[in-house]
Amino acid sequence: MSVERGFDHAAPPPAALPRKLADILRPELASLAAEIVDEIRATIPAYARPLDGPYGKSIRAGVEYAITLFVAQIADPTVSKEQSHEVHHRLGQNEMREGRSLDTLQSAYRVGARVSWRRIMRVGRRSGLSSAVMSQLADAMLAFMDELASVALDGYLEAKARTAGALDTWRRKLLHLILETPPASPKAIAELAQLIGWPVPVDATPVAVHPAGGVAPARRHAGLDADVLAELDTADPKLVVPGELSGARLASLQVALPDCRLSIGPCVALASVADSLRWARNALQLAERGVLTPRPVLRAEEHLATLLVNSDTGLVGTLRHRLFAPLADMTGKQQERLLETLRAWLDSQGNVVEIAERLSVHPQTVRYRMRQLQATFGDSLRDPAARFEMELALRAGAAPLPLRYPVSELLPSPRSGGSHPQWTPR
């Protein structure tokens, strides 16, 4: 199927045919249309019913538009195909709605081609056309009928895709296509979107969904807007909303998914939606760990720095162990108190009064704790690189758990000559 109907399967116009052929064939059109319809009804049982109503009119219109356009192309190869393509696209849609199979539809086009060629042979002999011209005419006519059959096939598949069950399947396929890594081609997305009638946005907002109690919502909640792509009955429920997520749209999502935490990724270009969804999922995980406040609605865009420093938990854990190894022989409470003071000291750039206000303690208490920090970390507190690493480690969520290593194992080895504590994971 193609984004522009009929473009990919457009047959070359019969430009090389003598234009006088149009004058020879034009008087045959009315009787030829009737002969094609009669032959289709006689040879394909599915079309044997009377053709008096709207259905019959669409069949007759399809045949008449087809043969009229073919002759018109002989007279003028630049003539527009748009109206005929529209008719055959609707014809394909109607065939699906009438419950006929693809084989039946394609058979009708084959019958049309056979009857048309039989008539052309008679007219050619009567008019004395050369074998070369007849060969060109046959090639042009068969290519043209294939083109219209492809247009009708597009209509058939589009109508099939929009049936209730198929529509949900195709919407999921489109969602998966948008979330592919590396990104799928814009053409592939556009074609599938056209099939289900989803206007392709310039940008979109993904939403990671965390159901309460771990119970996944229904496959697709009826309260969701029609343009929201959703996959909810999986281990990682998600939505993709076209464009920015407005306040009204967010409210409708909360109504549709009342017992779910929603983590909203930044609004990004369609090709970057997979990355944005990953950030939204990471925000959910950080909320579960207590790094982020577990609110009903999280916006990943408000926590980008936290997401960044928590993007590799193993690396963060290693950094914490290396930096805070000198605290290993302290109790968990002592570690927590000193790390809290260290964080406040870094945030306040050493201002004792401000640190005291942040910690709700007396300034003298701050000075006492700072002496402990100085004794514990020494020159590291004056090293900009070490301070930067400490701030990264402290900002990467909650303070580390009490270290389990005896301080004798974490102090520098006499042979290492290094200034940083050495430690060996158990």
Side-chain angles (χ1 to χ4, degrees), residues 111-161:
V111 169
R114 184 174 67 245
V115 173
S116 297
W117 179 239
R118 198 167 60 205
R119 175 70 66 94
I120 287 173
M121 290 286 288
R122 291 203 303 266
V123 173
R125 285 195 297 268
R126 188 175 67 228
S127 303
L129 298 179
S130 69
S131 59
V133 170
M134 292 297 293
S135 178
Q136 287 178 309
L137 193 57
D139 289 344
M141 188 270 294
L142 293 174
F144 178 74
M145 293 301 287
D146 282 346
E147 175 185 348
L148 291 186
S150 295
V151 171
L153 176 60
D154 278 357
Y156 186 98
L157 294 176
E158 182 177 305
K160 185 175 182 179

Side-chain angles (χ1 to χ4, degrees), residues 244-256:
E244 291 276 1
L245 187 63
S246 66
R249 177 86 86 168
L250 175 57
S252 72
L253 293 182
Q254 289 180 290
V255 170

Side-chain angles (χ1 to χ4, degrees), residues 54-72:
Y55 165 73
K57 289 181 180 178
S58 69
I59 295 289
R60 295 183 190 281
V63 172
E64 290 169 0
Y65 270 102
I67 60 178
T68 300
L69 175 61
F70 179 70
V71 173

Side-chain angles (χ1 to χ4, degrees), residues 119-401:
R119 175 70 66 94
I120 287 173
M121 290 286 288
R122 291 203 303 266
V123 173
R125 285 195 297 268
R126 188 175 67 228
S127 303
L129 298 179
S130 69
S131 59
V133 170
M134 292 297 293
S135 178
Q136 287 178 309
L137 193 57
D139 289 344
M141 188 270 294
L142 293 174
F144 178 74
M145 293 301 287
D146 282 346
E147 175 185 348
L148 291 186
S150 295
V151 171
L153 176 60
D154 278 357
Y156 186 98
L157 294 176
E158 182 177 305
K160 185 175 182 179
R162 293 184 180 182
T163 59
L167 181 60
D168 187 49
T169 299
W170 286 111
R171 290 175 70 91
R172 282 188 174 225
K173 287 183 180 294
L174 177 58
L175 178 61
H176 292 173
L177 199 61
I178 291 171
L179 297 175
E180 275 190 2
T181 303
S185 73
K187 181 181 178 183
I189 291 173
E191 288 183 346
L192 188 49
Q194 178 187 329
L195 189 66
I196 65 172
W198 191 71
V200 180
V202 175
D203 45 31
T205 304
V207 181
V209 180
H210 180 71
V215 179
R219 183 178 178 91
R220 176 181 172 83
H221 197 285
L224 294 174
D225 293 337
D227 62 342
V228 175
L229 300 179
E231 186 175 47
L232 299 174
D233 57 340
T234 64
D236 56 341
K238 51 195 169 285
L239 313 167
V240 169
V241 180
E244 291 276 1
L245 187 63
S246 66
R249 177 86 86 168
L250 175 57
S252 72
L253 293 182
Q254 289 180 290
V255 170
L257 303 167
D259 297 320
C260 296
R261 177 174 295 140
L262 306 180
S263 182
I264 303 166
C267 182
V268 294
L270 208 59
S272 300
V273 167
D275 288 332
S276 184
L277 179 61
R278 176 165 48 83
W279 303 332
R281 285 177 178 153
N282 289 348
L284 277 181
Q285 293 170 3
L286 293 180
E288 288 297 302
R289 288 165 43 197
V291 176
L292 297 179
T293 304
R295 298 187 177 94
V297 175
L298 299 169
R299 289 188 178 271
E301 199 163 23
E302 297 174 357
H303 307 285
L304 294 182
T306 303
L307 290 171
L308 178 61
V309 298
N310 284 277
S311 59
D312 189 329
T313 54
L315 184 59
V316 169
T318 300
L319 179 64
R320 283 176 169 172
H321 277 295
R322 179 173 66 79
L323 292 174
F324 304 133
L327 304 177
D329 59 347
M330 297 181 184
T331 66
K333 188 66 175 176
Q334 289 172 321
Q335 289 183 26
E336 181 181 349
R337 187 166 55 244
L338 283 185
L339 289 174
E340 179 186 50
T341 304
L342 178 60
R343 171 70 184 270
W345 178 76
L346 291 168
D347 289 346
S348 304
Q349 301 182 42
N351 187 306
V352 172
V353 175
E354 187 175 339
I355 296 171
E357 291 176 354
R358 284 173 179 266
L359 301 180
S360 300
V361 298
H362 194 277
Q364 193 60 33
T365 302
V366 172
R367 293 187 181 94
Y368 169 73
R369 291 184 188 177
M370 286 309 305
R371 286 194 293 271
Q372 285 184 292
L373 288 171
Q374 184 66 47
T376 302
F377 292 105
D379 292 342
S380 295
L381 298 182
R382 288 189 289 272
D383 181 354
R387 290 200 306 270
F388 175 71
E389 289 183 340
M390 288 178 176
E391 188 162 7
L392 275 181
L394 289 169
R395 285 185 177 276
L401 296 173

